[in-house]
Amino acid sequence: MGGAAGEAMRAGVVAVFLAVAVSGAAAGALPRFAEAPEYRNGEGCPAAAAGVCDPGLVHIAMTLDAHYLRGSMAAVYSLLKHASCPESIFFHFLALEAGAAAGEEPDPELLRRAVAASFPSLRFEIYPFCAEAVAGLISASVRAALEAPLNYARNHLADLLPRCVPRAIYLDSDVLAADDVRRLWETRLPAAAVVAAPEYCHANFSRYFTPAFWPDPGLGARVFAGRRRPPCYFNTGVMVIDLRRWRAGNYRQRIERWMEIQKEKRIYELGSLPPFLLVFAGEVEAVDHRWNQHGLGGDNVHGSCRPLHDGPVSLMHWSGKGKPWDRLDAGRPCPLDHTWKSYDLYIPSDGAASPASGPALAASLFSCCCHRRYELAAAHGGLCTGW
């Protein structure tokens, strides 16, 4: 698998982009995190990259706020652990600039110190993101968290990332990798595709829009006519994006046009997802479902427990209202939340270190996750069962 075994599965370097905001309560003092284990490259890994424009880099983008910093740390840890060349990973952090959201100006230096303390060998940089660029376009959603400006930062990736970056993998911060992310990076994007993602064509696509959308003569099925395939739902928490094609096609402007129409007609309820569906559904290049075992956070209202879907697992995604760190802190974790906790670097105020500081459980768990279906139950002590 990754650097833990000291084996290089393929040559290459991974660069991960995170967007980080700190709200008023967290702007002065970030939570404390333990230092993660350090993983080394195996044989066959490339020499150190010359910089962000190095053609061997794999770029990953993520967005989060102060509440998601804990999730981000766990996600980064899992990406490092399962990367074939973990020492070649490069992180770029995007921080909300002054006046963003409803809190004080975030201090990028505090974020830098927090990341460097947990990952001393990590190469990364921090860049600002202007919340005002999207604030006037955001509509009320079914859940307040879906209205956060950084949920829309992915629309601006092609503008924010250096022009030399050809593509990026976008990942939500409530994910855990169980496989080498380079395999996802190697997804082929044919000339007609800008985005690749797991599609879920069994889902009821019509429910992602309001009843007023479908009978409207200028909207409805007419929007999706002439596309490569019938439109299907895809989760925007895991996407491979060709940034050069995105720029050439002005896709940020296309998404923002639908956000403007939403202000006029109220055609959807789910935050930043529907504009992506309106622009890309039917044009997405399909990716194996193993790369987004999503929905582990339950629905957008109750956040109830959900099991994994059938099939292999390369990435788990706690999309939905329920986040593993919140449920663990509340003493009401779902069975799979114990998997996430194996990567939790958070140090509570009482000073007790997370089990992630000694990740023997994670090593044994994920040795089988990439290839076999499993369910994790607390009663089994975190072992893989059910294959």
Side-chain angles (χ1 to χ4, degrees):
M1 296 206 42
E7 298 177 355
M9 302 175 66
R10 289 182 180 88
V13 184
V14 180
V16 181
F17 289 71
L18 298 165
V20 183
V22 181
S23 62
L30 292 176
R32 291 194 303 146
F33 298 94
E35 182 176 335
E38 189 167 3
Y39 297 101
R40 298 293 184 182
N41 286 355
E43 294 181 3
C45 287
V52 69
C53 296
D54 191 297
L57 291 167
V58 175
H59 303 277
I60 302 175
M62 300 175 71
T63 63
L64 62 136
D65 57 20
H67 180 67
Y68 282 77
L69 181 58
R70 187 171 169 186
S72 170
M73 291 291 200
V76 171
Y77 177 13
S78 71
L79 287 161
L80 289 170
K81 177 178 174 59
H82 296 285
S84 56
C85 299
E87 289 182 280
S88 301
I89 297 178
F90 196 105
F91 291 78
H92 294 246
F93 294 84
L94 306 176
L96 284 180
E97 35 177 55
E104 300 174 5
E105 177 183 358
D107 186 345
E109 184 57 31
L110 287 178
L111 296 172
R112 185 183 301 277
R113 292 174 186 172
V115 173
S118 289
F119 306 101
S121 300
L122 200 67
R123 295 188 304 152
F124 66 91
E125 191 49 81
I126 298 179
Y127 303 93
F129 171 71
C130 179
E132 292 181 1
V134 296
L137 295 167
I138 297 174
S139 300
S141 184
V142 295
R143 185 159 55 92
L146 299 178
E147 301 168 23
L150 275 173
N151 287 335
Y152 298 85
R154 58 191 167 199
N155 303 353
H156 292 253
L157 287 177
D159 302 317
L160 296 169
L161 273 59
R163 291 277 172 162
C164 60
V165 175
R167 63 159 67 179
I169 297 173
Y170 175 84
L171 296 177
D172 278 349
S173 299
D174 50 358
V175 304
L176 281 184
D179 203 346
D180 187 353
V181 75
R182 173 162 284 276
R183 294 176 175 173
L184 178 59
W185 172 263
E186 291 172 346
T187 298
R188 178 180 172 271
L189 274 170
V194 177
V195 170
E199 289 186 298
Y200 304 91
C201 295
H202 63 279
N204 182 358
F205 186 75
S206 63
R207 73 183 181 90
Y208 292 96
F209 305 97
T210 63
F213 172 79
W214 294 104
D216 191 308
L219 301 174
R222 179 179 178 181
V223 172
F224 306 100
R227 300 199 177 180
R228 291 196 298 152
R229 292 189 298 273
C232 292
Y233 161 72
F234 66 96
N235 181 280
T236 52
V238 179
M239 298 184 291
V240 181
I241 304 172
D242 188 303
L243 298 176
R244 291 172 177 169
R245 294 176 189 171
W246 181 289
R247 296 185 192 105
N250 295 316
Y251 282 95
R252 175 177 63 80
Q253 290 86 345
R254 296 189 194 189
I255 289 173
E256 289 176 350
R257 177 56 187 147
W258 282 113
M259 295 172 71
E260 292 169 353
I261 292 174
Q262 161 76 351
K263 288 280 190 178
E264 302 167 2
K265 296 191 175 184
R266 193 68 183 173
I267 57 176
Y268 56 80
E269 305 286 351
L270 284 174
S272 62
L273 167 65
F276 262 83
L277 297 179
L278 288 162
V279 172
F280 291 110
E283 299 288 349
V284 170
E285 187 67 15
V287 172
D288 194 296
H289 289 175
R290 70 187 300 152
W291 284 106
N292 194 354
Q293 284 270 352
H294 69 294
L296 302 183
D299 60 24
N300 280 304
V301 178
H302 303 293
S304 54
C305 297
R306 288 182 179 175
L308 290 171
H309 308 297
D310 290 341
V313 182
S314 289
L315 185 141
M316 292 184 289
H317 184 189
W318 276 260
S319 58
K321 182 179 180 181
K323 302 307 173 190
W325 54 91
D326 289 334
R327 297 192 294 212
L328 285 160
D329 288 351
R332 297 189 298 273
C334 296
L336 284 169
D337 295 345
H338 294 280
T339 307
W340 182 88
K341 187 167 180 59
S342 299
Y343 289 87
D344 185 14
L345 297 172
Y346 172 67
I347 299 176
S349 55
D350 60 11
S354 164
S357 300
L361 168 61
S364 64
L365 174 67
F366 282 115
S367 65
C368 63
C369 288
C370 291
H371 307 290
R372 297 168 177 158
R373 184 172 68 88
Y374 75 97
E375 299 292 349
L376 176 68
H380 289 88
L383 299 178
C384 295
T385 61
W387 63 79

